[in-house]
Amino acid sequence: LGKIQEKASARAKKTAKRLAAQNMLNHIRSLVDESGNAVIEEDEDEEIPLSVEPKASYTALKEGKVKVPVLSPKQNKEIQKFYQTVMKKSSKQLKNLQGKPLNAPATNYCQMIQEIAEAQRFEVLYTDIPELSAYGMHQCLVQLSTMPVAVCHGTGPTVDEAHAGAAHHALQYLKLMTKS
């Protein structure tokens, strides 16, 4: 909710979501005083101005008007810890990913990434891009709710093939990041 973020973990995904929602509700309640007034302090330094015009955003970045957030050492450690944990509790699917080439014909990449996601407990979300590419291809982004979040791009003559392309790139990413 805005800049407020709450997390929770539990054995079941549904339970974890419910706990996170309860934590968020408690956090929001703590931000309101007895008279019903919000006691939220705005951090304008952290705001990145979003422009409708991509060139304006790029220009602001180029001219140094916008600060690009850099990972702190603590965040770097969290990311390292995530991938070390994934490698330690490596599932059968992830081990198969390391042992097989990702260019075999008739491979269902969407199913492969979904099986790995279920085994490793992260979510896969496909987002179709409405515009066709410069070559007239459908475009898609796939987001893996890993730590850090990974986003991969795919294209194809159909929406399903764009999904498969994005899933293929996501598998290549996971293969690279979990290589021991």
Side-chain angles (χ1 to χ4, degrees), residues 3-138:
K3 290 183 182 182
I4 303 169
Q5 189 175 25
E6 291 294 329
K7 295 180 182 179
S9 60
R11 279 189 146 248
K13 184 176 168 181
K14 188 175 183 180
T15 306
K17 285 183 175 183
R18 194 170 285 143
L19 288 171
Q22 184 62 44
N23 291 345
M24 177 65 79
L25 189 57
N26 292 339
H27 190 129
I28 292 169
R29 284 182 181 148
S30 72
L31 296 175
V32 178
D33 62 14
E34 286 99 37
S35 62
N37 295 325
V39 288
I40 299 173
E41 296 173 13
E42 294 287 331
D43 275 344
E44 292 183 25
D45 294 352
E46 292 182 29
E47 288 286 323
I48 296 175
L50 297 177
S51 171
V52 177
E53 184 63 41
K55 287 183 180 179
S57 297
Y58 176 72
T59 304
L61 278 171
K62 198 167 108 177
E63 293 173 354
K65 293 178 182 174
V66 177
K67 287 189 259 177
V68 177
V70 179
L71 292 178
S72 69
K74 181 182 176 186
Q75 291 168 320
N76 278 330
K77 289 279 187 205
E78 285 181 33
I79 293 168
Q80 287 175 338
K81 185 179 167 186
F82 170 79
Y83 284 111
Q84 287 169 350
T85 304
V86 167
M87 287 188 279
K88 283 180 188 170
K89 66 174 192 170
S90 186
S91 64
K92 180 181 80 173
Q93 294 86 354
L94 204 53
K95 287 178 184 167
N96 288 343
L97 178 65
Q98 291 299 331
K100 87 176 359 172
L102 284 174
N103 56 0
T107 303
N108 187 339
Y109 299 118
C110 294
Q111 182 182 351
M112 279 180 71
I113 194 75
Q114 193 58 49
E115 288 172 358
I116 292 171
E118 288 170 9
Q120 295 296 325
R121 293 186 170 178
F122 63 83
E123 292 183 39
V124 177
L125 175 69
Y126 293 93
T127 304
D128 296 319
I129 300 172
E131 297 86 26
L132 295 178
S133 72
Y135 299 104
M137 304 289 255
H138 292 272

Side-chain angles (χ1 to χ4, degrees), residues 140-155:
C140 170
L141 296 173
V142 64
Q143 177 183 330
L144 309 180
S145 64
T146 55
M147 177 63 182
V149 171
V151 178
C152 299
H153 181 258
T155 60

